[in-house]
Amino acid sequence: MKLTRLTLPLLTAIAVCSCSKEAKVELETVKVERGQLTETVTATGEVESVTQVDVGTQVTGIIDKLYADYNTVVTKGQLIAEIEKTMLESDLRSAEANVESARVTYEYNLTNYNRDKALHDKQLISDYEFQTSTKDLQVSKTAYDKARADRVRAAKNLNYAEIYSPIDGIVISREVEVGQTVVSSMNVANLYTIADLDNMQVIGNVDEADIGRVKVGQNVTFTVDAYPDDTFQGQVTQVRLNPTTESNVVTYEVVVAANNPEHKLIPGLTANLTIYVIQADDLLLLPAQAFRFNPETLPESDKLPRPAGSVDLKSLGSNEKCVWVVDGDQLLPTVVTIGDSNGLKTQILSGINEGTTVATGFSESAGPNGGGQSAQKSPFAPTPPGRKKK
């Protein structure tokens, strides 16, 4: 084996380089700052219109005219279809004739009753004859009332032959053709489905693990596959307590209202919802690391601040935490009252002011000639083999 002899200047350079890689320990800190705190819950759902009406007919007949088709924009009270009126008009004329006949009979019996009553009062006719006259009047009065009611029904049925839109909206379904016979029995024969596309809603399915944080009034954003580049805004209007179980997965329906001025949202679209269960601005915030920091994990170093005092953590309330404030070369334990948290940042309600410096951990990095790379060190991480703990 051939040995290579190193010159003295080269050995000196290697020694200097090795010494310059001595680790540098620094305390990591963060300042209490104001910012936005958000936390979201995701869900999927289906878009549907808030108001959707099935328009039908209560009379039997043949479709004579259709004035609306798919996607026709209609207004409330607009004529959209007609049923052939020949039979209905005939029924009305028959009902009017019956009314006239019943009226004549009633007036005749009323005249007889008045005459017989006057004679009966003078005891010129028997009680039997007067009772017969009274009965005939009551029967004719009942028949007259029935005939008038039948005429009202016939007139109403004739009006039902003209079908009007009950709401402002768009026709999303047409179930009949001209010439088709519609039969009205126990159920109203459906002709159209009209939806109000200005005001839509999404029925979202929220997992049971998240439903406890969803409340009425929370803001929602959602997207649909039809418009992948658009984000729609909504708001939770109802949390339905009736559970749905499918494949052992329990979900609850959440109703999200959304305006739809451009009519991009149409019934049946699948929506991907993001529900903001926490959304607030201008809050005092600290990262989660500040509450997990333990000064006992700090390595011994004259350059690092040392803890001054302690706090009995068992005496803290459920909404209280201890953080370590950096004050010169000291770490002061400070109890703060916390509010909402999204797991990454937590709201500070009291106990500390904006701009205060708080310790979050320490880092160990290579020296200035060690290639300029910094390596973060966790106090809970094991020491690599061949390296002494500091």
Side-chain angles (χ1 to χ4, degrees), residues 320-376:
E320 292 181 330
K321 295 288 184 179
C322 177
V323 296
W324 294 86
V325 175
V326 179
D327 183 13
D329 60 352
Q330 292 183 328
L331 293 175
L332 304 179
T334 304
V335 176
V336 296
T337 304
I338 62 173
D340 293 329
S341 175
N342 62 2
L344 298 178
K345 293 184 178 181
T346 301
Q347 177 188 7
I348 303 300
L349 298 178
S350 63
I352 201 170
N353 297 323
E354 181 180 0
T356 303
T357 302
V358 177
T360 60
F362 72 94
S363 63
E364 184 177 346
S365 58
N369 297 326
Q373 296 182 351
S374 175
Q376 298 292 329

Side-chain angles (χ1 to χ4, degrees), residues 218-273:
Q218 291 172 343
N219 293 326
V220 180
T221 61
F222 63 94
T223 60
V224 295
D225 292 340
Y227 304 98
D229 297 330
D230 293 340
T231 300
F232 301 91
Q233 305 292 326
Q235 192 174 64
V236 176
T237 58
Q238 188 181 56
V239 179
R240 296 176 178 173
L241 303 181
N242 184 35
T244 300
T245 304
E246 185 174 350
S247 300
N248 294 326
V249 177
V250 180
T251 59
Y252 292 82
E253 290 186 346
V254 173
V255 181
V256 177
N259 293 327
N260 189 30
E262 299 180 3
H263 292 179
K264 288 185 175 182
L265 298 175
I266 57 178
L269 292 178
T270 299
N272 299 308
L273 301 168

Side-chain angles (χ1 to χ4, degrees), residues 32-311:
V32 180
E33 296 179 344
R34 292 191 176 274
Q36 183 185 59
L37 184 66
T38 60
E39 185 179 10
T40 62
V41 168
T42 59
T44 59
E46 183 177 344
V47 177
E48 62 180 39
S49 57
V50 175
T51 304
Q52 181 171 305
V53 180
D54 292 331
V55 182
T57 175
Q58 291 183 320
V59 295
T60 298
I62 298 174
I63 299 296
D64 187 30
K65 297 177 182 178
L66 293 175
Y67 300 107
D69 202 348
Y70 286 94
N71 302 331
T72 300
V73 178
V74 295
T75 58
K76 183 177 182 180
Q78 177 180 334
L79 181 64
I80 57 177
E82 286 187 27
I83 294 176
E84 207 278 324
K85 300 179 181 178
T86 302
M87 296 299 296
L88 297 173
E89 290 173 344
S90 176
D91 291 341
L92 178 59
R93 289 194 296 269
S94 176
E96 289 174 343
N98 290 335
V99 169
E100 184 63 19
S101 175
R103 183 188 64 81
V104 172
T105 302
Y106 168 70
E107 291 178 352
Y108 173 76
N109 288 328
L110 179 60
T111 302
N112 288 340
Y113 169 79
N114 291 332
R115 183 186 66 243
D116 291 348
K117 184 177 185 302
L119 295 174
H120 183 265
D121 291 342
K122 297 178 180 180
Q123 298 182 348
L124 297 177
I125 61 174
S126 65
D127 292 340
Y128 174 77
E129 290 177 314
F130 179 66
Q131 290 172 356
T132 301
S133 178
T134 302
K135 182 204 70 171
D136 291 341
L137 176 64
Q138 292 174 345
V139 171
S140 62
K141 175 65 167 61
T142 302
Y144 183 35
D145 291 340
K146 181 179 182 301
R148 288 189 296 177
D150 290 342
R151 182 181 61 182
V152 171
R153 183 172 63 250
K156 197 68 175 177
N157 286 340
L158 181 59
N159 290 335
Y160 284 148
E162 296 180 348
I163 299 162
Y164 300 89
S165 173
I167 62 171
D168 296 336
I170 295 177
V171 176
I172 62 174
S173 175
R174 177 172 61 83
E175 306 295 338
V176 294
E177 300 287 347
V178 174
Q180 180 176 340
T181 300
V182 291
V183 178
S184 177
S185 55
M186 295 298 293
N187 297 321
V188 176
N190 187 40
L191 307 182
Y192 293 99
T193 299
I194 300 177
D196 176 13
L197 296 189
D198 289 330
N199 299 292
M200 304 294 288
Q201 65 184 13
V202 182
I203 307 299
N205 299 310
V206 178
D207 188 84
E208 61 177 324
D210 299 322
I211 193 64
R213 294 181 290 170
V214 179
K215 307 296 180 184
V216 173
Q218 291 172 343
N219 293 326
V220 180
T221 61
F222 63 94
T223 60
V224 295
D225 292 340
Y227 304 98
D229 297 330
D230 293 340
T231 300
F232 301 91
Q233 305 292 326
Q235 192 174 64
V236 176
T237 58
Q238 188 181 56
V239 179
R240 296 176 178 173
L241 303 181
N242 184 35
T244 300
T245 304
E246 185 174 350
S247 300
N248 294 326
V249 177
V250 180
T251 59
Y252 292 82
E253 290 186 346
V254 173
V255 181
V256 177
N259 293 327
N260 189 30
E262 299 180 3
H263 292 179
K264 288 185 175 182
L265 298 175
I266 57 178
L269 292 178
T270 299
N272 299 308
L273 301 168
T274 300
I275 305 172
Y276 289 84
V277 295
I278 298 177
Q279 187 178 32
D281 296 322
D282 196 31
L283 302 181
L284 286 179
L285 301 176
L286 271 179
Q289 298 93 315
F291 305 105
R292 295 194 296 263
F293 173 71
N294 183 359
E296 295 180 358
T297 63
L298 287 175
E300 294 294 335
S301 174
D302 295 337
K303 298 181 179 179
L304 294 179
R306 309 311 303 177
S310 62
V311 172

